Amino acid sequence: MVLRASLKQKSQVRKRKPALLKSWEALLRTVSKLSLGWQMSIPITVAIVGLWSYAAVAQTPPTLESVSTTTTDLKVGLDTMWVMVAGFLVFFMNAGFGMLETGMCRQKNAVNILAKNLIVFALSTAAYWAIGFGLMFSNGNGWLGASGGFFLTGADNSPATGDAYQGIFSAISWAGVPLAAKFFFQLVFAGTAATIVSGAVAERIKFIDFLLFSLLLVGIAYPITGHWIWGGGWLATLGFYDFAGSTVVHSVGGWAALMGAAFLGARIGKYNADGSANAIPPHNLSIATLGALILWLGWFGFNPGSTMGIGNGSLIAHIALTTNTGGAFGAIAATVVAWAILGKPDLTMTINGLLAGLVAVTAPCAWISVPSSAIIGAIGGILVVFAVGFFDKLKIDDPVGAIAVHLVNGVWGTLALGLFSQADAFGATPAPKAGLLFGGGIEQFWYQLVGVLSVGGFTVLVSSIFWILLKSTLGIRVTSEEELEGLDISEHGMEAYAGFAKESAFGSSSSYPSSSSEPTKY
């Protein structure tokens, strides 16, 4: 009986095999009817499903330590990305400065101004990498960094922060990003300070002298005063605050520009015997306006980027808003005041009013309210209109108004912090004391005043030494013939607008009659 049952079972299996075989053959016939692409996708799909299944089975459950490490790495990555993107925006401001300065000056000097604005960042990179960053941020005393750090060398375990940090750049160890990101962000700020000088000395300085002065400024003068404030130096210890550089960047560049313009003297034909000033018209307000808009955009990297971290994003948004409001009200105020004084709205004053408001709000942007930023920006816009005329009375010839914008409003913005600060009300720490107008007394304003005077005095002294050395050795000014011909030809042997009509002495095209027989006076 057992044998019969076994034979019966084998017979049933034999009967089932043809059915399975038929199903397999049917599947093969179906697959063979598919296109080649679909046929190739079948084994790939099987492999992917198999690997996913294996990964799901083989994956080990996360531990608290691995989750913490992943979270830390993610934070560092996001902060680094933010700092680098902000740095790229500030770097792009070089294009803004180049367009603005070129448009504000005469056509015969366009190549020269563009060349200066291009090469100055390359020189700044070399000088700041070789010596500047080390002087500014390496551990030292209250006056300068003295632990090396030249060529970005030395002990450093960034992005570690606080007590976990071990290295020679303790002053900037609060930023939880790699050292390379810290350096790049500070580099673009240093380059900005050198670019400010370019506009004030335009149209009559020798190209080689500007290059050498830029190296000295970025390699020596800028890092020393920067160390006092951002490098943990004596002003930082005193209680002086400058969030994004009204003093560190803009005033330093402005003081250096002032001394350069003073040592160079005015352009030929700028001033009359009675001391009145002749307006030398800009040759291209289109690219000047484009430059101003690029700078406005770049300021959203300049100020919000100085957080050097994302946090929950609220501080970045607040700083962006105060920055924009300051610039906007600066432009409005300058337009209104210039309209009232000159009888017509002056585009060049609107541009400089915008920049004045942005410069003024740079120091206090993290510690002031939006209404306060509007007031600070508006005052900056008013100041720049009168500052242009003031420097002309002193016969300080500044073709683009860089001194009125960066020096005057760098000083104003720094002092404004002592008036309008609301301490850490908006989440920025460490924070200054509350300002005079918000119940904090005069203490913070006093700290700000000391900082303005000390940085200004040092920069005037050192930049004067640099200018005197250059003047006594190489000579800093081109000849009268070269100036009248234009620096494009005399310094570079090329023209920006080859084949176009040439300019007269005051910048108007010789192919068209001037609207006035006399140069404009103001």
Side-chain angles (χ1 to χ4, degrees):
M1 293 295 293
V2 175
L3 181 59
R4 283 182 184 175
S6 176
L7 291 173
K8 185 177 181 180
Q9 186 177 6
K10 290 180 178 179
S11 176
Q12 290 174 349
V13 170
R14 290 192 191 100
K15 290 178 181 179
R16 284 200 298 269
K17 280 185 179 180
L20 293 173
L21 183 60
K22 288 178 181 179
S23 298
W24 175 252
E25 291 174 349
L27 177 62
L28 291 177
R29 284 195 299 271
T30 302
V31 170
S32 65
K33 293 177 181 179
L34 298 175
S35 65
L36 181 60
W38 281 104
Q39 291 181 29
M40 293 178 64
S41 68
I42 292 174
I44 295 174
T45 303
V46 172
I48 291 173
V49 171
L51 289 172
W52 279 354
S53 301
Y54 175 79
V57 172
Q59 182 177 357
T60 57
T63 63
L64 289 176
E65 183 179 357
S66 65
V67 170
S68 176
T69 301
T70 301
T71 302
T72 301
D73 289 346
L74 180 61
K75 181 182 184 304
V76 171
L78 290 173
D79 288 345
T80 302
M81 181 178 292
W82 164 240
V83 171
M84 294 304 295
V85 169
F88 300 153
L89 285 173
V90 179
F91 169 80
F92 191 51
M93 292 173 75
N94 286 282
F97 280 117
M99 294 296 98
L100 177 63
E101 293 174 20
T102 302
M104 287 286 200
C105 293
R106 288 171 288 185
Q107 139 185 351
K108 63 184 179 181
N109 299 307
V111 169
N112 179 259
I113 295 167
L114 291 170
K116 287 192 299 180
N117 278 275
L118 181 61
I119 196 66
V120 71
F121 188 76
L123 293 171
S124 298
T125 299
Y128 202 62
W129 173 60
I131 185 173
F133 188 79
L135 287 178
M136 189 165 177
F137 287 107
S138 71
N139 300 337
N141 50 45
W143 302 98
L144 77 166
S147 299
F150 304 140
F151 298 100
L152 216 59
T153 57
D156 178 82
N157 69 337
S158 298
T161 59
D163 294 336
Y165 178 78
Q166 296 178 353
I168 65 170
F169 302 109
S170 299
I172 201 170
S173 64
W174 56 269
V177 296
L179 180 63
K182 297 175 185 178
F183 170 78
F184 180 78
F185 190 72
Q186 295 300 328
L187 166 64
V188 293
F189 276 55
T192 299
T195 306
I196 292 168
V197 180
S198 171
V201 299
E203 300 200 304
R204 72 269 199 207
I205 191 172
K206 288 182 177 180
F207 190 67
I208 183 63
D209 289 277
F210 174 75
L211 303 187
L212 293 174
F213 182 82
S214 298
L215 285 171
L216 294 170
L217 179 68
V218 177
I220 300 174
Y222 172 85
I224 291 176
T225 53
H227 179 82
W228 296 356
I229 301 166
W230 288 346
W234 71 273
L235 279 177
T237 304
L238 177 69
F240 176 91
Y241 279 83
D242 181 0
F243 187 77
S246 287
T247 286
V248 175
V249 179
H250 296 283
S251 287
V252 167
W255 287 116
L258 173 64
M259 302 317 298
F263 280 107
L264 269 173
R267 291 169 290 174
I268 296 173
K270 175 62 180 178
Y271 298 110
N272 299 305
D274 62 0
S276 60
N278 295 311
I280 301 178
H283 90 277
N284 193 330
L285 284 174
S286 298
I287 63 171
T289 303
L290 174 61
L293 288 169
I294 291 174
L295 290 172
W296 198 347
L297 172 66
W299 238 283
F300 295 120
F302 208 98
N303 289 2
S306 294
T307 59
M308 296 193 76
I310 293 177
N312 63 9
S314 60
L315 181 59
I316 292 174
H318 175 76
I319 295 172
L321 191 54
T322 56
T323 298
N324 186 70
T325 303
F329 275 80
I332 293 169
T335 301
V336 171
V337 172
W339 201 339
I341 294 175
L342 304 175
K344 292 183 179 180
D346 186 329
L347 176 57
T348 63
M349 286 299 182
T350 301
I351 290 172
N352 280 338
L354 164 67
L355 300 179
L358 291 168
V359 170
V361 82
T362 294
C365 59
W367 301 298
I368 57 173
S369 66
V370 174
S372 294
S373 69
I375 297 170
I376 294 170
I379 294 174
I382 295 169
L383 284 174
V384 79
V385 175
F386 291 103
V388 169
F390 172 76
F391 286 114
D392 267 333
K393 285 182 173 58
L394 297 178
K395 294 188 177 181
I396 300 294
D397 184 13
D398 180 0
V400 304
I403 300 170
V405 169
H406 297 279
L407 172 55
V408 172
N409 283 282
V411 170
W412 158 238
T414 304
L415 297 177
L417 187 151
L419 299 175
F420 293 92
S421 168
Q422 293 181 231
D424 60 356
F426 306 103
T429 55
K433 299 179 183 297
L436 180 62
L437 300 180
F438 287 87
I442 200 171
E443 185 176 1
Q444 189 62 52
F445 183 84
W446 168 249
Y447 296 153
Q448 300 303 109
L449 180 61
V450 171
V452 165
L453 295 176
S454 57
V455 171
F458 179 83
T459 306
V460 166
L461 174 63
V462 173
S463 60
S464 295
I465 293 172
F466 294 160
W467 286 121
I468 291 171
L469 286 174
L470 291 171
K471 188 174 184 177
S472 61
T473 53
L474 300 175
I476 58 177
R477 182 163 182 151
V478 298
T479 65
S480 299
E481 293 77 14
E482 290 172 332
E483 183 178 344
L484 291 171
E485 182 183 28
L487 273 62
D488 289 1
I489 296 297
S490 63
E491 288 275 276
H492 304 277
M494 60 181 65
E495 295 179 283
Y497 305 97
F500 284 72
K502 305 298 182 183
E503 293 173 324
S504 67
F506 289 101
S508 59
S509 171
S510 59
S511 299
Y512 299 94
S514 174
S515 59
S516 172
S517 59
E518 295 291 333
T520 304
K521 297 181 181 181
Y522 55 89

